[in-house]
Amino acid sequence: MTTVVKQLSVETLRSSLRGELILPGDEGYESARKVHNGMIDRHPRLIVRPVNVRDVISAVNFARENELTLAVRGGSHSVPGFGVCDDGLVIDLSHMKGVRVDPKNRTVRAEGGCTWGDVDHVTHAFGLAVPGGIISTTGIGGLTLGGGIGYLARKYGLSCDNLISADVVTADGRFLTASAEENADLFWALRGGSGNFGVVTSFEFRAHPVSTVFAGAILYPLEQSRDALRMYRDFMAQAPEDVNAFFAYLIVPPGPPFPEHLHNKTVCGVVTCYLGPMDKAEGAIRPLREFGPPLFELLGPMPFPMLQSMFDALLAPGLQQYWKADFLNDLNDGAIDANVKYGPGVPTFNTAVHIYPVSGAVHRVGKTETAFSYRDANFAEVMAAVYPDPADTPKNKAWVQDFFSALHPYSAGGAYVNFMDDEGEDRVAASYRDNYAMLAQMKRKYDPTNLFHMNQNIKPAR
Ligand SMILES: Cc1cc2nc3c(=O)[nH]c(=O)nc-3n(C[C@H](O)[C@H](O)[C@H](O)COP(=O)(O)OP(=O)(O)OC[C@H]3O[C@@H](n4cnc5c(N)ncnc54)[C@H](O)[C@@H]3O)c2cc1C
């Protein structure tokens, strides 16, 4: 790696940009180097905030020609902090937020720096939604490229399953469009292969008629969590695809709308979202409401973007975050035992132990049809310690690691790459299974020098 980037070439880069170039010492550098996870403290040498494709091409070429480490940032939510590097160049896409809806064809074109909130804000005006995650501040970039699990997944598939095409700047500075018809191998790799193949400047998605949903949370006593997990497993096995629900261990936040006697109490529960006709909603989720009986319910019809942003405040930027994850084929007795033992240890009300369904439409895509491989899993579990005080890191890491060690033997083997920590090549390979060899070939074709390595990295095949 070059240690001195000549001042002259930096000025050449600056003059080639319409967007910002931020250097150490510049006003705004300190906030520009921050990502969502407050634990990440890296100092890049240059931060480029492109406003168009030409800026992205200039920044990619500059990083490659100067042999700089390159980090690409969409919504900055990568928990291992892949959106920022030490000493290198960051391409921060957060100024590229254009969204265009084609209501007639139900498609959406969104630039690479959008968050799901940016997209939902526009699509909702047309009574449409694209499958995203469950938090509105997460970037469409990282989430889609790693797969994308959210409330609409059972009915409409993962975010990557709804990708029609992507505009990509590759490591050699070329601009390519990837779709089923054009550069189809790249299109395959982008749908799950994470940020390994280039900078996606624009995503074209299929959108679906989703506007008002029946949704919310149902809380159960902690002492009943074993039976609640069994009930949840059995319920999801037969639930129609209009129903989505994830299971959680949580500490009840100390404030409205929760009743005072539940404040700061550790409980378990489900967050559900029903997409069918409103008059069928109560019947569709009845088993979730009859179990217990619940300690508390907050359920009702709401605009989809309201549901999408309901938990944003709990996961505010700057909190410390340490996550681990696994796919589960089944919520078998061993997996339930691990959850019952460690779930109650959630350290803060920001922390999430979530079990998401991976079923319905997600299963209708073949294992090798996209880079995302775990189409036969039924759940994706994440243990996400989220807490304000860095001094609590050792105990929170220990809790996540112990939880993971207890669960992993009962898992499907690999994890959802967007929920994983930075765990090395073997773990990445385990998460792509049979698709890994093809991904490594694609990496050799599109990024032979591994310029894009700040990600769940796939090494180019030799
Ligand atoms: C609070 C929170 C909630 C979450 N909720 C969900 C959820 O409900 N469902 C779910 O599936 N996941 C969820 N995740 C995980 C999330 O999918 C990943 O953290 C994802 O990587 C975030 O994408 P980003 O663009 O915000 O992150 P970034 O840190 O900006 O990027 C993450 C990775 O993607 C690459 N990347 C980002 N944008 C682009 C682009 N345009 N072109 C090329 N590469 C790019 C980056 O280089 C990096 O390697 C959540 C994460 C957090 C922190």
Side-chain angles (χ1 to χ4, degrees):
M1 185 194 302
T2 323
T3 46
V4 181
V5 179
K6 291 196 182 67
Q7 192 57 32
L8 183 63
S9 65
V10 171
E11 288 316 313
T12 308
L13 172 65
R14 193 191 300 280
S15 66
S16 74
L17 300 173
R18 283 284 164 105
E20 283 178 85
L21 173 64
I22 305 170
L23 305 179
D26 286 353
E27 197 185 340
Y29 175 80
E30 283 305 311
S31 66
R33 74 182 182 85
K34 290 201 171 86
V35 290
H36 191 260
N37 184 356
M39 195 188 276
I40 308 296
D41 181 26
R42 298 188 188 135
H43 294 78
R45 216 183 292 179
L46 310 99
I47 301 171
V48 175
R49 283 193 173 141
V51 294
N52 58 32
V53 171
R54 162 79 198 275
D55 285 356
V56 174
I57 292 172
S58 298
V60 167
N61 286 341
F62 186 86
R64 190 190 59 253
E65 285 160 10
N66 289 282
E67 296 176 31
L68 290 168
T69 296
L70 174 62
V72 178
R73 186 189 303 171
S76 96
H77 274 48
S78 157
V79 174
F82 292 139
V84 64
C85 54
D86 271 325
D87 221 29
L89 187 150
V90 171
I91 298 179
D92 170 1
L93 296 164
S94 63
H95 288 190
M96 292 181 64
K97 281 187 181 286
V99 180
R100 182 179 185 277
V101 177
D102 176 346
K104 203 164 117 239
N105 292 309
R106 290 189 182 157
T107 62
V108 178
R109 166 74 68 184
E111 283 189 300
C114 287
T115 62
W116 285 103
D118 297 327
V119 173
D120 290 338
H121 179 72
V122 184
T123 54
H124 190 62
F126 298 89
L128 298 172
V130 176
I134 65 148
I135 298 286
S136 81
T137 55
T138 312
I140 66 167
L143 190 137
T144 302
L145 295 171
I149 298 173
Y151 294 115
L152 306 186
R154 294 190 80 234
K155 180 138 188 189
Y156 296 118
L158 301 170
S159 305
C160 72
D161 298 338
N162 288 279
L163 194 61
I164 300 169
S165 73
D167 287 347
V168 190
V169 176
T170 48
D172 53 7
R174 274 185 306 157
F175 174 83
L176 298 177
T177 294
S179 69
E181 291 78 36
E182 230 179 316
N183 301 302
D185 55 357
L186 178 59
F187 186 55
W188 177 87
L190 291 175
R191 287 174 293 157
S194 197
N196 276 284
F197 299 95
V199 183
V200 178
T201 54
S202 165
F203 294 84
E204 185 191 5
F205 292 108
R206 244 181 312 280
H208 303 277
V210 176
S211 187
T212 300
V213 297
F214 189 91
I218 308 171
L219 305 183
Y220 310 117
L222 188 61
E223 304 70 50
Q224 293 185 31
S225 81
R226 183 182 300 278
D227 287 341
L229 278 160
R230 288 184 180 138
M231 176 279 297
Y232 169 73
R233 172 192 63 197
D234 297 346
F235 173 74
M236 290 315 297
Q238 51 73 45
E241 289 178 9
D242 275 331
V243 176
N244 201 298
F246 69 84
F247 190 92
Y249 282 93
L250 68 152
I251 294 178
V252 178
F258 301 102
E260 230 173 287
H261 72 275
L262 291 182
H263 288 181
N264 294 312
K265 210 173 150 70
T266 305
V267 299
C268 62
V270 291
V271 176
T272 186
C273 170
Y274 174 73
L275 301 171
M278 287 300 120
D279 60 345
K280 301 268 184 329
E282 306 223 4
I285 61 163
R286 183 167 296 127
L288 299 176
R289 302 181 77 189
E290 284 180 347
F291 178 82
L295 292 169
F296 177 72
E297 277 189 3
L298 180 68
L299 281 171
M302 63 182 79
F304 184 63
M306 182 188 276
L307 174 66
Q308 285 291 86
S309 52
M310 195 180 256
F311 302 112
D312 287 4
L314 293 176
L315 292 154
L319 292 166
Q320 310 289 301
Q321 302 207 31
Y322 181 70
W323 297 21
K324 279 178 99 65
D326 257 326
F327 281 117
L328 306 173
N329 287 333
D330 180 18
L331 264 174
N332 53 38
D333 289 347
I336 289 180
D337 284 345
N339 276 282
V340 170
K341 181 166 180 195
Y342 289 99
V346 279
T348 63
F349 63 78
N350 314 94
T351 294
V353 172
H354 287 174
I355 304 174
Y356 296 95
V358 180
S359 48
V362 183
H363 285 185
R364 286 199 291 277
V365 178
K367 278 190 271 187
T368 56
E369 268 183 68
T370 63
F372 184 99
S373 156
Y374 270 94
R375 302 281 178 180
D376 46 351
N378 275 299
F379 300 98
E381 176 151 5
V382 62
M383 312 88 174
V386 183
Y387 51 96
D389 187 351
D392 291 335
T393 295
K395 77 170 189 222
N396 285 321
K397 275 196 169 175
W399 171 69
V400 170
Q401 283 162 359
D402 290 348
F403 196 155
F404 174 78
S405 302
L407 182 71
H408 187 63
Y410 304 99
S411 76
Y416 174 35
V417 290
N418 277 345
F419 288 165
M420 272 163 45
D421 192 19
D422 189 359
E423 299 173 40
E425 193 177 354
D426 288 351
R427 183 79 169 138
V428 174
S431 298
Y432 289 112
R433 301 190 293 189
D434 292 349
N435 290 343
Y436 191 74
M438 179 55 84
L439 281 163
Q441 295 291 342
M442 290 300 107
K443 186 74 174 170
R444 182 168 68 181
K445 177 171 175 188
Y446 288 103
D447 184 16
T449 64
N450 208 0
L451 179 67
F452 298 106
H453 64 270
M454 292 294 295
N455 43 44
Q456 297 293 359
N457 196 230
I458 295 157
K459 303 272 181 303
R462 286 166 212 259

